[in-house]
Amino acid sequence: MIDTLFRALKGWFDGEEPDLGDFNGCFFINTSAEFHDAKSEISTYCRFHKAQVRKLIQSKLSGDSEELLNAICLLKEGAITTVYMTDTSSEVIENSVKILKRLKC
């Protein structure tokens, strides 16, 4: 599951997902950064989206490790932001997967 998720992220980062267009970071991170009112409908929807992604990832995990789920979600978000800022998708993906595989053991 970890390899599949991070391979898909790399495809997005590298422009191999034509339906998503050019990679410009995460729409939801970018949008929520523009709206400082945490109670706004936009901020609420951005949090909802992130919660739905978390539930999707959780549904694909074979175990019930909250620690692993947290690590995957944090590294996924960190990878998106780091690649957007540094344009180093291969390195970021490789490092994220290595960390998660160590944690999974």
Side-chain angles (χ1 to χ4, degrees), residues 5 17 21 31-32 35-37 46 54 58 68-69 73 86-87 99:
L5 172 63
E17 299 295 332
T31 300
S32 66
F35 290 87
H36 304 286
D37 180 2
C46 289
R54 182 181 174 87
Q58 185 175 32
L68 180 59
L69 177 61
C73 291
T86 65
D87 197 29
I99 291 166

Side-chain angles (χ1 to χ4, degrees), residues 26-105:
C26 174
F27 174 78
F28 295 93
I29 294 171
N30 296 341
T31 300
S32 66
E34 295 294 324
F35 290 87
H36 304 286
D37 180 2
K39 295 178 183 177
S40 74
E41 286 184 47
I42 292 171
S43 293
T44 300
Y45 187 77
C46 289
R47 282 192 305 278
F48 170 77
H49 167 76
K50 293 299 180 178
Q52 292 302 108
V53 171
R54 182 181 174 87
K55 284 181 184 179
L56 177 63
I57 292 168
Q58 185 175 32
S59 75
K60 302 297 180 186
L61 292 176
S62 57
D64 194 24
S65 171
E66 189 75 14
E67 184 178 56
L68 180 59
L69 177 61
N70 288 337
I72 291 169
C73 291
L74 288 169
L75 281 167
K76 174 187 69 68
E77 297 296 332
I80 292 167
T81 303
T82 302
V83 170
Y84 179 66
M85 294 176 62
T86 65
D87 197 29
T88 56
S89 65
S90 293
E91 180 182 341
V92 169
I93 294 300
E94 182 180 322
N95 288 332
S96 296
V97 169
K98 278 183 190 176
I99 291 166
L100 289 167
K101 286 188 175 182
R102 272 189 244 130
L103 180 61
K104 191 175 175 183
C105 294

Side-chain angles (χ1 to χ4, degrees), residues 1-25:
M1 183 271 163
I2 291 168
D3 288 319
T4 301
L5 172 63
F6 282 86
R7 244 191 339 266
L9 285 172
K10 186 172 183 326
W12 177 37
F13 300 157
D14 293 345
E16 297 167 2
E17 299 295 332
D19 291 341
L20 298 177
D22 294 336
F23 175 69
N24 292 304

